[in-house]
Amino acid sequence: MRIEIPREVERFGPVQIHDVQKVWELDAGLKLKELEPKEKERRVITRISYESLQDIQEQMAIVVPIKDEKIKLLEGVLAGIPHECLVILVSNSKREPVDRYKIEMDALNHMSKFMKKDIFIAHQKDPLLAQACKDAGYEYILDDKGEVRSGKAEGMILSTILAYLCGKKYIGFIDSDNYFPGAVYEYVQEYSAALYSAKSDYSMVRIAWHSKPKIVESSLFFAKRGRASEHTNKVLNMLMSSYTGYGTEIIKTGNAGEHAMSMDLALNIDYSSGYSIEPYHYINVLERFGGVIDSPSADVMKQGIQFFQIESRNPHLHEVKGDEHVKSMSREAMEVIYRSPLCPDHLKQEILIDLYNRGLLKEGEDMPETVRYYPALTKVNMLKFKQALAKAPFAEFLKADLSKYKHKNGKKKLARETVKSKDHLPDPHEQLEIK
């Protein structure tokens, strides 16, 4: 891959957020010296060979959350994932009256005969997974019945634990409703390029879609940004500006469902429920490691955290899930920002006004509390989690060497629960200057 270096970078303490990078060549060839760019070209363009990307992918698990999706869609997504990656499907599909999960397993068994990939599927409501959470001391994602809660975020948390137990160094996420296998392939290549370029063990890459095709008056229109993303990006940037004193538009991937990160980072951040999980990545990293409030990890603070944003070349076409889905996603994103201990009062007012104007809250209504928060996965006892899955159908994939594993950091709270005052918030006069 040939990709430009980030043109801009915003720093929030040890957190670096790089501007969107443009891909100039999806395949830049093999690792041959005559193909390497000249010294001057390296200043603005980075060439990453096929072998270098493959090295990252051999250490990467790609997670595909699925819920009652069309099997043909799933087949296309799996076809697009590079062969070297381990693929983990986490299903929350219906089991009755029609057992959709059984259909997915049958289809996967058929496809795997031809694809020859390392791939397995688990159901979110599997009693073995619920028992593993109990044994490992991570009951936060369980409901009153002792089952794993329904929700995309809860499935992503489970898959992150499973990827760690598979011995993977990186984890990426791909939605199961993507119509273009070529786009899926590109996303994983871009994940690999960014993680290969990262200088910190704690890094994340998020995809900014090139466009979302829509039919307008019998013609295709390639929209640049999603409806919810524009509002989320704007408010996240306003939050950063409240502390830096400078306006910014650096964040363009607030709602990015397509993202990947190092396992070191995935284990050291808190999570939130539902579709708020993607914007909460930004919020929680700023909370835990931005230097505004106390950090739980000196090593992370020393190395720093890097966010990369890459604009894809393929258009993104997925299932249309209606206005209610978009409204719910947008409101949840606003809620996690509003409830953050970093959010100053003036920005909370801006968020409420925005929600009133868009009809997502009634005039004068307070921000509801609908989002759940889950502590970092360092709280999970991985040894006990693995032991509980000894008889799981996918147990053969859990190959991580845990001989030197030590359960640490088990008593740490959510970052947002450690804040007892508002002394860290920007002064009122600073807020007025920013406005």
Side-chain angles (χ1 to χ4, degrees):
M1 178 172 288
R2 203 178 300 272
I3 186 171
E4 69 178 6
I5 64 172
R7 295 174 181 269
E8 302 287 342
V9 59
E10 288 281 354
R11 295 173 176 83
F12 196 101
V15 180
Q16 295 182 8
I17 301 177
H18 296 276
D19 201 359
V20 172
Q21 296 170 254
K22 187 174 182 179
V23 175
W24 287 97
E25 203 172 16
L26 290 173
D27 186 345
L30 300 174
K31 198 172 186 177
L32 299 173
K33 288 186 177 179
E34 55 264 32
L35 294 178
E36 292 290 339
K38 297 178 180 178
E39 188 63 35
K40 288 184 179 180
E41 292 177 344
R42 283 199 189 99
R43 296 175 186 173
V44 294
I45 298 292
T46 299
R47 177 184 175 273
I48 304 173
S49 69
Y50 174 82
E51 294 96 328
S52 298
L53 297 177
Q54 184 176 355
D55 287 344
I56 296 294
Q57 289 162 13
E58 288 175 352
Q59 305 173 72
M60 182 183 291
I62 294 296
V63 175
V64 183
I66 180 170
K67 184 178 181 181
D68 302 323
E69 298 291 356
K70 299 172 183 174
I71 296 300
K72 287 291 185 182
L73 264 181
L74 176 62
E75 181 179 329
V77 170
L78 295 179
I81 298 173
H83 183 79
E84 291 77 16
C85 299
L86 168 69
V87 183
I88 303 175
L89 273 72
V90 178
S91 174
N92 195 27
S93 298
K94 296 175 182 176
R95 304 302 304 266
E96 54 185 26
V98 176
D99 193 340
R100 293 285 305 174
Y101 179 60
K102 185 178 184 300
I103 295 173
E104 291 162 1
M105 286 195 297
D106 291 343
L108 186 61
N109 288 334
H110 177 74
M111 286 184 274
S112 61
K113 292 177 184 178
F114 297 91
M115 293 181 175
K116 305 295 183 183
K117 288 184 178 181
D118 286 336
I119 180 170
F120 69 87
I121 186 170
H123 197 278
Q124 204 160 317
K125 299 293 186 180
D126 188 335
L128 280 176
L129 288 173
Q131 187 60 49
C133 290
K134 291 178 184 177
D135 294 350
Y138 199 84
E139 298 178 281
Y140 309 97
I141 60 174
L142 304 183
D143 59 19
D144 295 337
K145 298 179 181 178
E147 297 178 338
V148 176
R149 295 182 186 276
S150 295
K152 180 181 181 182
E154 291 77 6
M156 290 170 67
I157 291 171
L158 281 178
S159 59
T160 301
I161 299 172
L162 293 175
Y164 175 85
L165 293 176
C166 291
K168 296 303 177 181
K169 189 176 179 180
Y170 307 103
I171 182 168
F173 299 90
I174 298 286
D175 288 340
S176 60
D177 61 348
N178 195 315
Y179 276 93
F180 295 155
V184 173
Y185 177 79
E186 179 189 353
Y187 297 158
V188 180
Q189 295 294 88
E190 287 161 351
Y191 294 167
S192 307
L195 294 170
Y196 173 82
S197 304
K199 296 179 180 178
S200 170
D201 292 335
Y202 305 93
S203 52
M204 178 183 292
V205 52
R206 301 164 74 91
I207 302 299
W209 297 333
H210 179 273
S211 58
K212 292 179 67 176
K214 298 178 180 178
I215 297 177
V216 179
E217 296 180 355
S218 301
S219 298
L220 273 179
F221 174 73
F222 292 84
K224 196 68 175 175
R225 294 285 178 262
R227 288 173 287 173
S229 299
E230 290 182 0
H231 297 275
T232 304
N233 294 339
K234 176 184 175 183
V235 176
L236 285 171
N237 286 317
M238 289 173 66
L239 177 65
M240 288 192 61
S241 299
S242 297
Y243 287 89
T244 63
Y246 291 88
T248 181
E249 295 180 353
I250 195 73
I251 296 177
K252 300 180 178 69
T253 55
N255 287 109
E258 281 69 32
H259 63 278
M261 64 186 113
S262 63
M263 188 60 67
D264 287 332
L265 180 60
L267 296 178
N268 279 281
I269 55 175
D270 298 333
Y271 292 88
S272 63
S273 63
Y275 289 96
S276 68
I277 189 169
E278 284 97 5
Y280 191 62
H281 286 328
Y282 276 119
I283 291 294
N284 189 247
V285 167
L286 296 181
E287 288 175 352
R288 289 172 70 90
F289 310 117
V292 178
I293 55 182
D294 291 339
S295 172
S297 175
D299 180 62
V300 181
M301 295 289 286
K302 184 177 181 180
Q303 281 207 45
I305 300 93
Q306 291 182 294
F307 281 96
F308 295 92
Q309 301 175 96
I310 299 179
E311 183 179 74
S312 62
R313 282 289 182 176
N314 279 278
H316 184 94
L317 183 63
H318 62 175
E319 284 277 82
V320 177
K321 297 181 179 178
D323 289 340
E324 288 305 314
H325 168 74
V326 175
K327 290 178 180 179
S328 176
M329 182 168 60
S330 186
R331 198 204 55 72
E332 288 180 9
M334 293 298 106
E335 182 181 338
V336 293
I337 302 173
Y338 183 94
R339 297 293 178 193
S340 170
L342 295 184
C343 189
D345 291 338
H346 80 281
L347 184 53
K348 289 183 177 182
Q349 292 303 313
E350 295 273 2
I351 292 171
L352 289 175
I353 291 171
D354 175 62
L355 293 175
Y356 296 154
N357 291 339
R358 290 192 285 151
L360 301 184
L361 286 182
K362 295 179 181 178
E363 192 73 34
E365 184 181 355
D366 292 333
M367 178 67 75
E369 295 190 48
T370 61
V371 173
R372 295 184 179 87
Y373 298 90
Y374 306 121
L377 300 182
T378 48
K379 196 171 180 66
V380 179
N381 188 318
M382 296 296 183
L383 280 170
K384 292 184 178 180
F385 201 100
K386 183 178 180 180
Q387 290 168 2
L389 297 178
K391 295 183 179 180
F394 48 84
E396 63 181 291
F397 291 94
L398 309 182
K399 302 175 181 178
D401 181 8
L402 300 181
S403 59
K404 297 181 181 179
Y405 171 80
K406 292 183 180 179
H407 184 214
K408 299 179 181 178
N409 208 15
K411 296 182 180 180
K412 296 295 182 182
K413 299 180 180 179
L414 290 163
R416 61 199 306 274
E417 293 177 350
T418 64
V419 180
K420 303 300 181 183
S421 71
K422 294 186 177 181
D423 295 341
H424 59 279
L425 294 175
D427 293 333
H429 72 277
E430 293 180 304
Q431 297 168 7
L432 290 174
E433 289 176 1
I434 293 166
K435 281 192 171 182

